[in-house]
């Protein structure tokens, strides 16, 4: 590995371009050393995942690595020989949940003294979390971060032979590791990472610190992976990155080119992508979405706030007017597009007027769905030291108002669909009602259908018969 090390101090991290020698070495390296393959046969693992799709997908990679080592998956904590918490640091309540959980599972060690407990993902990238684990949760056996998850087999092996907490967290990604085994959770829909990290440094956000700088996978390796997935029967591919519009800046290509290439893979039914920062949403990208028939008519376009002053202190890099114009440009070319968003309320110094500007924007854009969050200060981010904090009661009141406005709009959209027919990809049993199946329209709306043999995994026309704020109900049209 030594010759792969990059001097990160001297590296221009905005433009991370591994050399050909590095790429070749990465391609040649075996993801799991031969001596560890199947070494742990008979042992069971349980992975708990928090946070975004990037983390969900990392969990699939870790499951793939563990299975190569001989482990099998279990859902039962008492049966597990390894429990790993793949964590999220984006808001404080996400972190508190994990600390609660690692306290709760401690007694399992009495039943099974060989049980390994681990914490990985975004939280360990924070120094304060590393220290807290060492001080307060010393029974944790294994701690690693987002940049070295491919080291899992070696770290498990070390932890098995150590009395101390094995902690290995890298500050930066030293090279791209593309070809790891993946145990995908679903046989229908697959996530494909196209870009790691984020360079945008929105002032509230911890992701650039936990995931490092933007690094793009090559178009060839992405298209190869997608081709393999389609051949294996996957119907829907979601391209993942924190800021997909910037895909390829470090390779001299752009996201529109990638989207067209993926969308044209033989036999592909549905392509999605997330997340698009409104910044750098080019006409060429809009055209690629509009002209590639497999690309679904849904764009997640986080706005965060409708106030220019707040957008500026958030360092979002666009104005309210730019955003509204972008929505117009998108709708002009993709008339049926579903738009969803993320909004933060109670950002430091947010006034009633700023919040009203957000409500007005939500009424003007009319999103299909909005994910709304109370601002949560993250140590190490610029916003964490900003003055004029908004009182929690005020933030809660604003959040409720925002949700009321958005829920009315979501319901109206859903009600308008009653009587129409939509193409639905049937995913499996409904999570809430055993007698029903669930699936999604191209615009990503959840549809419930009466259970029927042979439907799971198919794309079917469904007549929408009723609607509420969150779901549609329908029957297959024959
Ligand atoms: N890369 C994506 C967002 C990833 S984080 C993008 O730029 O859109 C997902 C969402 O969490 C963000 O869109 C934001 O709305 C929310 N979020 C991030 N940091 C937050 C914080 N400190 N407090 C509250 N919400 C936050
Ligand atoms: Fe966070 Fe902004 Fe990057 Fe999204 S674009 S991950 S909100 S810093
Ligand atoms: Fe959370 Fe890390 Fe994703 S902080 S939102 S799991 S990138």
């Amino acid at each position: 590995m030594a010759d792969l090390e990059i001097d990160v101090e001297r590296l221009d991290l905005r433009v991370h371009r591994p050399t050909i020698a590095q790429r070749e070495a990465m391609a040649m390296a075996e993801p799991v050393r031969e001596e560890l393959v199947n070494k742990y046969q008979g042992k069971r693992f349980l992975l708990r995942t928090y946070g975004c799709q990037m983390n969900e997908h990392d969990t699939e990679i870790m499951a793939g690595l563990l299975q190569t080592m001989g482990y099998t998956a279990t859902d039962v904590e008492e049966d597990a020989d390894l429990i790993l918490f793949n964590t999220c640091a984006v808001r404080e309540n996400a972190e508190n949940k994990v600390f609660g959980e690692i306290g709760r599972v401690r007694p399992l060690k009495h039943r099974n003294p060989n049980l390994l407990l681990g914490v990985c993902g975004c939280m360990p990238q924070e120094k304060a979390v590393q220290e807290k684990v060492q001080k307060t949760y010393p029974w944790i056996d294994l701690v690693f971060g987002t940049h070295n998850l491919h080291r899992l087999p070696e770290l498990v092996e070390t932890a098995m032979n150590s009395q101390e907490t094995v902690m290995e967290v890298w500050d930066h990604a030293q090279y791209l590791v593309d070809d790891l085994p993946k145990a995908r959770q679903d046989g229908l829909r697959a996530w494909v990472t196209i870009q790691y990290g984020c360079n945008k440094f929105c002032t509230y956000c911890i992701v650039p610190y936990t995931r490092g700088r933007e690094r793009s996978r090559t178009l060839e390796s992405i298209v190869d992976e997608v081709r393999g997935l389609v051949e294996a029967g996957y119907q829907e591919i979601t391209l993942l990155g924190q800021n997909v519009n910037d895909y390829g800046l470090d390779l001299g290509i752009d996201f529109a080119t990638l989207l067209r290439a993926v969308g044209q893979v033989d036999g592909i039914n549905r392509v999605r992508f997330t997340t698009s920062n409104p910044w750098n949403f080019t006409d060429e990208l809009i055209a690629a979405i509009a002209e590639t028939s497999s690309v679904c008519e849904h764009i997640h376009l986080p706005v965060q706030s409708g106030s220019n002053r707040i957008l500026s202190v958030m360092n979002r890099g666009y104005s309210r007017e730019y955003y509204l114009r972008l929505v117009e440009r998108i709708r002009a070319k993709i008339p049926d597009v579903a738009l969803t968003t993320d909004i933060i309320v109670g950002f430091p110094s947010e006034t009633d007027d700023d919040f009203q500007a957000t409500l007005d924007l939500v009424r003007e854009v009319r999103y299909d769905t909005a994910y709304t969050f109370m601002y949560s200060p993250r140590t190490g981010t610029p916003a964490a030291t900003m003055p004029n904090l908004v009182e929690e009661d005020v933030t809660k009141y604003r959040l409720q108002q925002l949700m009321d406005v958005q829920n009315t709009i979501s319901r109206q959209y859903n009600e308008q669909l009653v009587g129409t027919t939509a193409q639905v990809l049937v995913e499996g049993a409904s999570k809430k009602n055993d007698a029903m199946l669930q699936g999604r329209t191209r615009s990503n709306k959840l549809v419930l259908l009466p259970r029927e043999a042979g439907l799971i995994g198919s794309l079917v026309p469904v007549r929408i018969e009723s609607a509420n704020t969150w779901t549609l109900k329908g029957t297959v049209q024959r």
Side-chain angles (χ1 to χ4, degrees):
M1 283 290 185
D3 57 342
L4 286 182
E5 301 264 333
I6 296 170
D7 180 357
V8 282
E9 298 307 322
R10 292 176 49 207
L11 185 72
D12 176 5
L13 290 164
R14 279 195 65 92
V15 188
H16 175 106
R17 203 191 301 244
T19 64
I20 290 170
Q22 282 165 351
R23 284 199 185 274
E24 279 175 358
M26 285 173 241
M28 273 156 35
E30 284 300 325
V32 180
R33 163 160 70 92
E34 205 181 318
E35 300 80 63
L36 300 186
V37 171
N38 290 328
K39 178 169 176 184
Y40 290 89
Q41 252 168 5
K43 298 237 179 235
R44 282 177 275 202
F45 71 88
L46 195 163
L47 286 162
R48 290 236 187 279
T49 315
Y50 302 80
C52 64
Q53 288 149 324
M54 201 74 78
N55 252 21
E56 297 274 355
H57 187 43
D58 283 350
T59 289
E60 295 181 332
I61 295 172
M62 291 192 282
L65 289 168
L66 291 169
Q67 286 175 3
T68 311
M69 295 169 77
Y71 276 94
T72 49
T74 176
D75 289 335
V76 183
E77 284 176 349
E78 285 75 13
D79 292 346
D81 301 287
L82 168 64
I83 301 180
L84 270 178
F85 295 94
N86 189 10
T87 63
C88 171
V90 85
R91 280 171 293 275
E92 195 184 358
N93 56 5
E95 296 203 350
N96 289 344
K97 247 188 257 167
V98 169
F99 283 124
E101 281 293 283
I102 58 183
R104 188 186 60 75
V105 295
R106 184 184 188 187
L108 293 169
K109 285 209 154 198
H110 301 311
R111 293 172 53 120
N112 177 3
N114 293 324
L115 169 65
L116 285 185
L117 290 177
V119 178
C120 60
C122 287
M123 279 170 63
Q125 293 296 144
E126 299 172 84
K127 286 262 168 351
V129 169
Q130 296 168 19
E131 284 161 15
K132 185 163 172 175
V133 169
Q134 265 167 335
K135 260 202 209 137
T136 318
Y137 305 92
W139 62 88
I140 294 296
D141 302 286
L142 182 57
V143 180
F144 57 99
T146 56
H147 298 308
N148 60 341
L149 115 177
H150 60 288
R151 296 257 310 140
L152 175 64
E154 298 298 332
L155 295 173
V156 165
E157 176 72 1
T158 312
M160 286 298 254
N161 299 303
S162 165
Q163 299 302 315
E164 313 268 297
T165 305
V166 173
M167 187 172 294
E168 186 183 291
V169 181
W170 294 1
D171 285 344
H172 303 278
Q174 300 188 7
Y175 37 82
L176 278 186
V177 187
D178 260 2
D179 302 319
L180 297 173
K182 296 167 187 107
R184 295 184 189 269
Q185 290 164 19
D186 184 311
L188 270 186
R189 296 169 302 159
W191 291 304
V192 173
T193 303
I194 62 168
Q195 168 207 51
Y196 302 89
C198 181
N199 287 355
K200 304 233 52 90
F201 288 96
C202 303
T203 53
Y204 50 82
C205 186
I206 193 120
V207 172
Y209 307 90
T210 64
R211 294 276 172 175
R213 295 295 65 73
E214 286 172 8
R215 290 145 283 143
S216 303
R217 286 179 64 188
T218 63
L219 183 138
E220 295 73 24
S221 73
I222 295 166
V223 171
D224 274 356
E225 183 174 352
V226 170
R227 210 175 278 131
L229 289 165
V230 173
E231 279 164 15
Y234 284 87
Q235 305 264 3
E236 181 177 301
I237 303 295
T238 302
L239 305 178
L240 286 185
Q242 292 297 347
N243 178 18
V244 292
N245 302 14
D246 272 4
Y247 168 79
L249 285 185
D250 47 349
L251 302 174
I253 51 167
D254 65 3
F255 181 50
T257 307
L258 175 75
L259 200 54
R260 288 184 196 272
V262 168
Q264 281 159 19
V265 164
D266 240 9
I268 198 162
N269 277 324
R270 285 182 171 188
V271 179
R272 301 186 187 280
F273 55 91
T274 198
T275 303
S276 269
N277 190 296
W279 192 84
N280 202 16
F281 210 115
T282 60
D283 285 337
E284 179 43 27
L285 177 54
I286 298 174
I289 301 168
E291 289 161 16
T292 314
S293 60
S294 58
V295 175
C296 293
E297 299 76 18
H298 168 219
I299 302 174
H300 185 58
L301 198 62
V303 68
Q304 313 298 358
S305 169
S307 151
N308 276 335
R309 199 182 58 80
I310 295 291
L311 285 172
S312 155
V313 273
M314 284 177 163
N315 190 31
R316 286 292 286 180
Y318 54 85
S319 65
R320 172 193 177 93
E321 292 72 29
Y322 166 90
Y323 186 93
L324 290 171
R325 175 81 192 108
L326 171 60
V327 168
E328 259 175 41
R329 281 162 53 213
I330 292 172
R331 285 189 168 145
K333 288 275 161 42
I334 317 164
D336 296 332
V337 71
L339 292 179
T340 57
T341 201
D342 292 346
I343 297 170
I344 296 176
V345 283
F347 188 80
S349 83
E350 184 188 71
T351 62
D352 278 338
D353 284 351
D354 292 320
F355 177 64
Q356 282 307 320
T358 299
L359 280 185
D360 288 348
L361 179 134
V362 167
R363 290 195 187 101
E364 187 168 342
V365 174
R366 293 182 59 77
Y367 294 103
D368 289 72
T369 311
Y371 300 89
T372 51
F373 307 104
M374 291 192 0
Y375 168 69
S376 170
R378 307 284 57 221
T379 307
T381 62
T385 50
M386 285 183 188
N388 303 325
L389 296 185
V390 181
E391 279 174 33
E392 195 176 330
D393 285 357
V394 175
T395 303
K396 277 192 180 148
Y397 179 68
R398 287 180 187 163
L399 184 72
Q400 192 55 55
Q401 270 182 288
L402 177 60
M403 288 191 325
D404 290 347
V405 168
Q406 179 54 47
N407 288 350
T408 307
I409 299 170
S410 298
R411 191 184 184 103
Q412 285 167 352
Y413 269 117
N414 280 352
E415 282 168 353
Q416 277 169 17
L417 292 173
V418 173
T420 65
T421 298
Q423 182 208 61
V424 171
L425 175 60
V426 186
E427 297 159 11
S430 153
K431 295 209 173 90
K432 296 212 171 120
N433 179 348
D434 236 16
M436 308 291 278
L437 296 176
Q438 72 172 40
R440 294 205 178 247
T441 63
R442 283 175 61 97
S443 57
N444 210 30
K445 297 200 191 283
L446 191 65
V447 183
L448 301 180
L449 309 163
R451 198 179 258 281
E452 214 181 294
L455 272 192
I456 296 176
S458 50
L459 272 169
V460 285
V462 171
R463 197 188 135 79
I464 306 300
E465 272 144 17
S466 65
N468 66 26
T469 310
W470 311 112
T471 44
L472 303 167
K473 273 190 186 156
T475 48
V476 178
Q477 226 176 21
R478 306 203 191 263

